[in-house]
Amino acid sequence: MASIMEGPLSKWTNVMKGWQYRWFVLDYNAGLLSYYTSKDKMMRGSRRGCVRLRGAVIGIDDEDDSTFTITVDQKTFHFQARDADEREKWIHALEDTILRHTLQLQGVDSGFVPSVHDFDKKLTEADAYLQILIDQLKLFDEKLQNCKDDEQRKKIESLKETTSSMVESIKHCIVLLQIAKDQNNEEKHADGLISTINPVDAVYQPSPLEQSVISTMPSQAVIPPGSGQSAPSSSLTSPSHVNLSPNTVPDFSYSSSEDEFYDADEFYQSSSSPKRCMDSSGSAAVLTRSSTGSSLKRPDTTESLNSSISNGTNDTDLFDPPDDRDDDGEGESVEEHKSVIMHLLSQVRLGMDLTKVVLPTFILERRSLLEMYADFFAHPDLFVSISDQKDPKERMVQVVKWYLSAFHAGRKGSVAKKPYNPILGEIFRCHWVLPGTDGEDDMEPVSEGPVPWVSKSSVTFVAEQVSHHPPISAFYAECFSKRIQFNAHIWTKSKFLGMSIGVHNIGQGCVTCLDYDEHYILTFPNGYGRSILTVPWIELGGECSINCSKTGYNASIVFHTKPFYGGKKHRITAEIFSPNDKKPFCSIEGEWNGVMYAKYSTGENAVFIDTKKMPTIKKKVRKLEDQADYESRCLWKDVTYNLKIRDIDAATAAKHALEERQRAEARARKENETSWETRLFHEDGECWVYDEPLLKRLAASKH
């Protein structure tokens, strides 16, 4: 066994309902993580269980620096290291092992086992490409002789140096591959059927000649996936039924007592999950896949496109009709393009900043991130009612109520998708008409407001992408008649976490009640896209706060992520405190996308918010023909349209054109030595503030 790492880890067990010490051995060549009850048992070869790493995905939770997961064979194993450094060492070694064996998975999955002839063909191709690079090096020499510009010479020399390094690497690889082939012929293992490019299930035994490259042939037959062998039942996962040598790679991961922790409850709840492989009668269910694999094609559709870019209400003359971002086929799209996501995952490392990583177009939601921020006001009646409360204590409670109601109204579908990354200078405007505000006095427009064509009683909203690197969005909302405003900025910082993507929302918002001169400063939770290889779903996590410096009232809110072992999704707990009090006068718990209950210090218990019974008020957005070129829906209309009709190639091309335009504008500013000027917001210290807020306009009108 070629162990590259071994040592103690704790493993979660469902039998004991807790963490148990185990001695782990990682075999790089076999692609196997074996574990034993002790180091002594490892020396005796008494293996407790193993995790096959072919096609596995590692996951971490950035709120816990010692735990990690390995998901493979439709199971999730949970591990705990001593500390963050030890976890990092294990993850690095595991990622390298997974990468080696997963890269070879494609050939085995197609039922193809390369022969010596195929191997020779690839060697010939590599040699041909090597010759092309050598010819390019000669061209670089010619260009250097004729080049007189110093800056251009530096660029050519840099390219030549890089190409030279690549040539040497390819030469070395060809030599090593030829040595491997020659040794294989001497040992006569291939017989013209199986080459020294071993299938993923092979057991590698490095020779003294070149341990990093050369290996002998597999000691067991390879059974390609889909060949008819059924998945192992639970009765086969005990060592009494699995008689395997420590040097043999099993066809599946197993444990002696079925003590691995499964996230099975999540997968079986959704009929579109690829892990739902048994139907109600117990027979194997057939998973629907595209016959063309990962090819991106445009399917036939008879859907109406009249409202493909719309998300407003009923004013057909002035505003877009209601949102129709349906979820038809979205579960299948993730599975259909799984190979594209796997290719993407192969390019990223755990903890990597995803700001510059280009994600596949098909996983995009058909709207901009700026428009998504408008979901904070899906209940504008709760927002404006803050200023209706006469007591500062009640105003704080109402602020918390509006804040906790602001997260459920985002995406209604079961599949989580990513909104468009806004273009620098992009603007989104909309407004909400409050129920019962259609009287004559309420119809007077606010000409100086963020949406100047709507009435004083409406809630208006405007957002702008004020920075591209780092990506910062600023947004502002107000209701003139209620004399209340909200200003916020969010810097999104994305991280790859294995089976998840984490988005840290750095920034803050401020609710201002003008009649009381009160400012409520609040922060935002982080977002997580979970199960990105199956049916993605969203959860929120992190500690947030709401503080009013004038009154002293404050609140602490915790969005709980689903723990490794048991627990519920989407849980929140919150506490509201009076000035200088250490005990809360109101404690809240529940689910941010469900029902939340309040318990008051008086002993009263009540439903605080029931998002299931709260109707959202649809926002109104001007029709495309009335929007400026830099407004979100107009800017992204081609991408949105093509996503709607599922023409992924056209949507990708439209998205690429927008991104290229942004890059060209950035280059032009750099050449002209000019800086970007924002349209509606300005930087004030660490915050981004709307240029003409209601507070400023009312103060100016008094003078």
Side-chain angles (χ1 to χ4, degrees):
M1 183 185 292
S3 167
I4 62 167
M5 189 168 185
E6 64 177 74
L9 288 170
S10 294
K11 179 176 178 294
W12 177 261
T13 165
N14 273 347
V15 177
M16 303 299 293
K17 295 293 182 185
W19 297 100
Q20 284 196 333
Y21 170 93
R22 293 285 182 266
W23 188 267
F24 284 81
V25 177
L26 175 60
D27 188 337
Y28 176 73
N29 289 328
L32 197 66
L33 179 66
S34 300
Y35 57 92
Y36 308 80
T37 54
S38 65
K39 187 175 182 180
D40 182 58
K41 289 290 180 68
M42 184 270 293
M43 300 297 290
R44 297 179 192 174
S46 179
R47 184 161 62 188
R48 182 78 169 174
C50 66
V51 181
R52 190 177 66 163
L53 298 174
R54 184 184 74 180
V57 177
I58 299 178
I60 63 173
D61 188 335
D62 59 351
E63 293 185 1
D64 187 331
D65 62 3
S66 64
T67 56
F68 65 96
T69 63
I70 301 176
T71 300
V72 69
D73 296 336
Q74 301 181 12
K75 301 174 185 178
T76 298
F77 298 83
H78 296 253
F79 305 97
Q80 186 176 56
R82 278 194 298 259
D83 51 38
D85 291 337
E86 186 181 79
R87 182 181 78 168
E88 188 65 28
K89 291 176 183 176
W90 275 103
I91 285 176
H92 182 73
L94 286 164
E95 279 189 324
D96 288 343
T97 306
I98 291 169
L99 180 61
R100 171 178 179 173
H101 291 271
T102 302
L103 286 176
Q104 300 171 65
L105 183 57
Q106 297 172 358
V108 178
D109 275 351
S110 64
F112 169 72
V113 179
S115 66
V116 169
H117 174 73
D118 299 313
F119 187 60
D120 286 338
K121 184 179 178 182
K122 290 297 179 183
L123 272 177
T124 305
E125 287 180 8
D127 196 52
Y129 285 122
L130 176 63
Q131 192 57 50
I132 292 172
L133 285 173
I134 292 172
D135 293 340
Q136 289 296 318
L137 278 174
K138 294 177 182 177
L139 289 175
F140 283 137
D141 289 333
E142 293 175 8
K143 285 184 176 290
L144 283 171
Q145 290 177 1
N146 300 324
C147 184
K148 298 180 181 179
D149 183 74
D150 290 340
E151 187 175 344
Q152 189 68 18
R153 282 184 67 87
K154 287 180 181 178
K155 289 181 180 179
I156 296 173
E157 286 171 353
S158 176
L159 285 170
K160 180 185 174 183
E161 184 180 350
T162 303
T163 307
S164 297
S165 299
M166 189 181 298
V167 165
E168 292 306 313
S169 297
I170 294 173
K171 282 181 181 177
H172 186 62
C173 289
I174 290 175
V175 170
L176 293 177
L177 288 169
Q178 192 63 53
I179 292 172
K181 177 195 166 189
D182 292 343
Q183 191 201 21
N184 179 69
N185 287 337
E186 289 172 11
E187 297 173 355
K188 297 182 179 180
H189 266 113
D191 292 328
L193 295 175
I194 305 175
S195 78
T196 51
I197 306 175
N198 290 277
V200 176
D201 274 340
V203 177
Y204 294 87
Q205 299 291 345
S207 74
L209 178 63
E210 182 56 56
Q211 290 196 0
S212 65
V213 177
I214 306 166
S215 60
T216 61
M217 297 317 301
S219 59
Q220 67 179 70
V222 177
I223 303 174
S227 61
Q229 178 170 327
S230 61
S233 65
S234 60
S235 64
L236 292 176
T237 57
S238 170
S240 62
H241 295 84
V242 182
N243 187 16
L244 295 173
S245 162
N247 290 331
T248 302
V249 182
D251 289 333
F252 51 88
S253 306
Y254 74 91
S255 171
S256 61
S257 57
E258 274 301 296
D259 62 352
E260 56 269 40
F261 173 79
Y262 300 107
D263 291 332
D265 59 319
E266 295 175 18
F267 300 114
Y268 283 90
Q269 287 171 2
S270 172
S271 60
S272 60
S273 169
K275 299 196 176 185
R276 188 177 181 269
C277 58
M278 298 298 289
D279 62 18
S280 58
S281 63
S283 61
V286 179
L287 296 179
T288 303
R289 282 179 178 268
S290 168
S291 60
T292 56
S294 62
S295 62
L296 305 180
K297 64 177 183 178
R298 175 177 171 177
D300 293 333
T301 178
T302 56
E303 293 178 278
S304 169
L305 305 177
N306 293 335
S307 57
S308 63
I309 309 173
S310 304
N311 190 15
T313 48
N314 300 321
D315 281 302
T316 55
D317 293 336
L318 298 175
F319 305 108
D320 276 353
D323 179 21
D324 71 334
R325 284 176 284 111
D326 57 79
D327 301 311
D328 293 343
E330 289 184 340
E332 289 78 9
S333 69
V334 175
E335 181 60 29
E336 179 182 349
H337 305 295
K338 187 174 177 180
S339 62
V340 181
I341 300 180
M342 285 299 294
H343 174 71
L344 174 72
L345 297 184
S346 70
Q347 303 175 60
V348 296
R349 306 284 285 186
L350 286 176
M352 179 185 287
D353 187 348
L354 296 182
T355 304
K356 296 183 181 181
V357 175
V358 179
L359 295 174
T361 306
F362 71 86
I363 68 170
L364 294 177
E365 185 175 344
R366 296 196 298 270
R367 60 174 178 167
S368 170
L369 179 65
L370 296 185
E371 180 170 350
M372 193 190 79
Y373 287 138
D375 291 337
F376 277 111
F377 298 90
H379 300 290
D381 49 336
L382 287 181
F383 173 67
V384 300
S385 65
I386 295 170
S387 61
D388 292 336
Q389 312 304 315
K390 304 303 180 184
D391 181 69
K393 181 178 181 179
E394 292 304 316
R395 285 195 292 276
M396 171 55 80
V397 170
Q398 196 64 24
V399 170
V400 174
K401 187 171 290 189
W402 163 74
Y403 178 84
L404 291 178
S405 74
F407 299 99
H408 80 97
R411 183 155 189 87
K412 296 297 184 184
S414 59
V415 180
K417 290 204 167 189
K418 179 187 177 300
Y420 310 140
N421 286 332
I423 301 297
L424 183 64
E426 179 183 330
I427 298 289
F428 177 75
R429 285 189 176 95
C430 67
H431 72 282
W432 295 263
V433 176
L434 296 173
T437 57
D438 51 357
E440 288 187 12
D441 294 339
D442 296 315
M443 297 306 292
E444 183 183 350
V446 187
S447 56
E448 303 88 7
V451 186
W453 54 84
V454 303
S455 68
K456 291 183 177 180
S457 61
S458 296
V459 173
T460 55
F461 175 91
V462 65
E464 177 182 356
Q465 190 68 11
V466 294
S467 172
H468 185 57
H469 292 300
I472 302 176
S473 306
F475 51 99
Y476 171 84
E478 71 174 41
C479 180
F480 187 96
S481 63
K482 295 290 186 176
R483 296 169 63 84
I484 187 171
Q485 67 179 43
F486 178 74
N487 195 105
H489 72 280
I490 296 179
W491 166 19
T492 55
K493 193 171 185 180
S494 304
K495 273 172 126 181
F496 176 63
L497 306 175
M499 279 289 284
S500 307
I501 291 176
V503 180
H504 287 207
N505 292 314
I506 304 166
Q508 66 179 35
C510 179
V511 177
T512 302
C513 291
L514 276 61
D515 288 337
Y516 302 101
D517 192 27
E518 292 174 354
H519 304 274
Y520 297 84
I521 307 297
L522 55 88
T523 56
F524 304 100
N526 301 321
Y528 299 92
R530 305 295 193 191
S531 303
I532 57 178
L533 289 183
T534 54
V535 180
W537 56 281
I538 293 290
E539 76 169 338
L540 303 177
E543 298 182 8
C544 303
S545 62
I546 303 176
N547 294 283
C548 180
S549 57
K550 181 178 180 180
T551 65
Y553 283 95
N554 64 93
S556 62
I557 301 163
V558 180
F559 291 82
H560 300 271
T561 55
K562 186 180 182 298
F564 278 152
Y565 37 92
K568 294 182 178 180
K569 296 179 184 177
H570 313 309
R571 265 196 342 113
I572 69 102
T573 55
E575 294 178 325
I576 309 176
F577 299 87
S578 297
N580 304 318
D581 279 359
K582 294 184 178 180
K583 288 187 177 182
F585 69 82
C586 178
S587 298
I588 304 159
E589 64 176 28
E591 298 169 357
W592 55 263
N593 61 350
V595 184
M596 289 163 264
Y597 301 91
K599 183 177 181 179
Y600 295 90
S601 56
T602 58
E604 178 191 358
N605 295 328
V607 173
F608 193 67
I609 304 172
D610 186 350
T611 63
K612 305 289 187 183
K613 296 181 179 179
M614 294 171 58
T616 58
I617 299 175
K618 297 291 185 181
K619 61 180 175 288
K620 294 192 175 186
V621 184
R622 280 206 301 183
K623 284 185 172 293
L624 283 177
E625 54 265 31
D626 297 326
Q627 293 184 21
D629 291 341
Y630 52 81
E631 292 193 57
S632 294
R633 292 192 179 181
C634 186
L635 196 64
W636 293 96
K637 62 184 178 183
D638 292 334
V639 180
T640 301
Y641 172 81
N642 285 298
L643 282 177
K644 176 66 180 177
I645 64 174
R646 299 178 188 174
D647 189 339
I648 304 299
D649 291 338
T652 302
K655 176 174 173 284
H656 180 71
L658 278 177
E659 292 165 346
E660 280 302 310
R661 189 179 86 181
Q662 183 172 225
R663 294 187 188 102
E665 290 172 352
R667 286 193 295 270
R669 288 194 299 273
K670 186 176 181 180
E671 291 171 2
N672 298 329
E673 297 183 348
T674 58
S675 58
W676 171 258
E677 293 184 5
T678 54
R679 303 180 192 277
L680 302 172
F681 291 80
H682 64 275
E683 198 169 7
D684 185 1
E686 296 183 354
C687 299
W688 286 87
V689 180
Y690 184 58
D691 291 341
E692 298 295 331
L694 182 58
L695 178 64
K696 178 181 176 181
R697 301 199 313 269
L698 290 178
S701 65
K702 293 179 180 179
H703 299 292

